[in-house]
Amino acid sequence: MKMHLLTLTLSLTTLAACGKDEAKPETKTAATETTAPTPETKPVPEAKPVAPRDARIVALFEAGKDCSWDAQGMTQCPTAKEIKDLAFNNQGSSELAASCAGALTDASPSVRGLAATCIQGFNDNTRSPQIGAGLDAFEAAKEPGMRRLMAWSFGRGNATKAGFESRVISLVEKLSGSEDENVNASYFFGTLFPQYMVNSAPPSKEAGDFALKIVKTSEGALQKKAIEALGLLTDREAEVCPVLVELTTEEMWPDTVPSMAKVGGACLEDLDTILGFMMAKLNTGKFFAGHAMALRPLLRKASLSDEQFAALKKASKTNLDAHKKTAYGNTAKKLMDEIAAYKDPALQPAAK
């Protein structure tokens, strides 16, 4: 009987000990589960909707599957003209523009090229909303020819109105330090300063500030584009004119004078220097189309003295004599007649 009691007592003690040992891991697990931080679940960004491809461009993509572009973004592929004509004939179609823009990053180089060419055919109102897609495609492109094509295709439009101004400024600033990207930068820069015959909104303060900066720090095509843009800052004469006057040299005056004429005021205070550059070209018979394009706005805006006017007429006669027997003779005669017809704009009735 005593042996049975002893055995029962040992069994109960062993069970109790086992029960305590088994409970410990469960308690720790429960504590861990209640105190461990819950990992945050980050929302997955929604993919941008891609416009369905228009059946007409799908057919052209297939027809032009062998199209290629050279390092300057040029092609001889007839399908490129066809797709540009399609866009031009539907230049107000936002749906077709979105369809072309959606193919700008296609895996196929020919599709990307044709999609970019398609964009060229639309008007600015239709093209501008796709500038973001154009920037994406340009930044993704590796081949020089494809980058040039993308930049050229989106070189017109209104980046400010479309909400891409700051992004374009950042991209142009980044590209401005590269000689290879200078032309591409000049194309994108143009979207900050759209110019229309009527209803052109003035450039934004940010775009104007950027033009004043880039004209001092760049060169080549980008600098020329910035010089042209300064002519649109007619309400910032005090800032613009000193910059343009400094840039007006024997080499640069054909670029600076048109903008100086648009702004007027202090930009035209030193007419002797400007006319001196012009007459040097006229007197050597090397006054061509680009020079004439700079002279004409000056004749419309500047008040020439009698001495300045007489010297300019004499120089234009010398230029005509040098070209009487050349193909440029008629153009030289027309230019001389335009100079002879000059009238001081300050003495003319104000336009109603």
Side-chain angles (χ1 to χ4, degrees):
M1 183 65 178
K2 287 181 180 180
M3 288 296 294
H4 288 297
L5 288 172
L6 179 59
T7 303
L8 178 60
T9 302
L10 289 172
S11 299
L12 291 172
T13 303
T14 303
L15 287 171
C18 290
K20 288 180 182 179
D21 291 341
E22 290 174 1
K24 286 179 182 178
E26 294 177 4
T27 304
K28 288 181 180 179
T29 303
T32 303
E33 290 177 353
T34 56
T35 59
T38 303
E40 295 182 8
T41 303
K42 295 183 179 180
V44 178
E46 294 183 7
K48 294 181 181 179
V50 178
R53 291 190 178 179
D54 185 286
R56 294 168 294 180
I57 67 168
V58 170
L60 289 170
F61 288 161
E62 176 60 27
K65 61 185 178 182
D66 295 324
C67 291
S68 61
W69 284 259
D70 63 22
Q72 300 303 314
M74 305 296 289
T75 184
Q76 298 297 320
C77 180
T79 310
K81 182 181 184 308
E82 291 180 46
I83 202 166
K84 185 175 179 179
D85 287 346
L86 172 66
F88 182 78
N89 293 330
N90 297 273
Q91 60 185 277
S93 172
S94 299
E95 294 78 11
L96 184 59
S99 187
C100 288
L104 288 169
T105 53
D106 191 274
S108 166
S110 66
V111 170
R112 295 199 302 272
L114 289 170
T117 306
C118 177
I119 292 295
Q120 296 173 17
F122 296 105
N123 60 40
D124 280 8
N125 286 335
T126 310
R127 183 188 302 108
S128 294
Q130 306 304 330
I131 289 177
L135 295 171
D136 290 343
F138 174 82
E139 291 175 336
K142 304 302 180 185
E143 312 93 326
M146 195 58 64
R147 287 172 72 84
R148 178 62 54 83
L149 175 63
M150 295 294 178
W152 166 250
S153 297
F154 285 92
R156 289 172 293 158
N158 191 328
T160 302
K161 184 178 179 181
F164 297 105
E165 180 179 86
S166 61
R167 186 176 174 188
V168 168
I169 288 175
S170 296
L171 176 62
V172 172
E173 190 156 35
K174 177 182 176 182
L175 299 177
S176 65
S178 169
E179 183 178 349
D180 293 339
E181 299 284 4
N182 187 277
V183 174
N184 295 338
S186 74
Y187 291 148
F188 283 119
F189 182 90
T191 66
L192 301 171
F193 298 90
Q195 298 181 55
Y196 309 110
M197 294 298 291
V198 293
N199 299 326
S200 289
S204 71
K205 174 70 163 53
E206 292 74 16
D209 290 345
F210 186 57
L212 284 163
K213 175 184 177 180
I214 210 73
V215 78
K216 299 174 186 176
T217 59
S218 64
E219 54 187 21
L222 179 57
Q223 185 185 46
K224 290 184 178 184
K225 203 73 174 179
I227 289 171
E228 181 183 337
L230 293 188
L232 302 177
L233 307 183
T234 54
D235 58 338
R236 300 177 67 170
E237 176 187 328
E239 298 171 88
V240 168
C241 290
V243 176
L244 289 175
V245 169
E246 183 180 353
L247 289 172
T248 301
T249 63
E250 185 177 358
E251 293 77 24
M252 295 291 290
W253 70 263
D255 300 305
T256 61
V257 170
S259 289
M260 296 169 84
K262 288 180 180 179
V263 178
C267 288
L268 300 179
E269 287 180 352
D270 187 8
L271 283 175
D272 282 338
T273 297
I274 297 172
L275 291 170
F277 292 137
M278 291 183 171
M279 288 187 287
K281 289 292 185 182
L282 288 166
N283 284 322
T284 56
K286 296 180 179 180
F287 199 90
F288 299 113
H291 306 117
M293 288 178 66
L295 172 59
R296 290 188 178 105
L298 191 72
L299 294 175
R300 293 193 295 268
K301 292 292 292 288
S303 292
L304 306 181
S305 68
D306 291 342
E307 293 77 11
Q308 289 169 334
F309 178 47
L312 189 59
K313 283 202 303 182
K314 182 179 178 181
S316 69
K317 176 66 167 60
T318 302
N319 182 59
L320 175 61
D321 291 342
H323 287 288
K324 276 185 176 179
K325 295 182 180 180
T326 72
Y328 197 69
N330 290 336
T331 302
K333 175 64 168 62
K334 181 180 178 181
L335 180 64
M336 189 180 77
D337 292 342
E338 289 181 47
I339 293 172
Y342 166 80
K343 294 183 179 180
D344 188 341
L347 303 178
Q348 304 308 307
K352 295 182 180 180

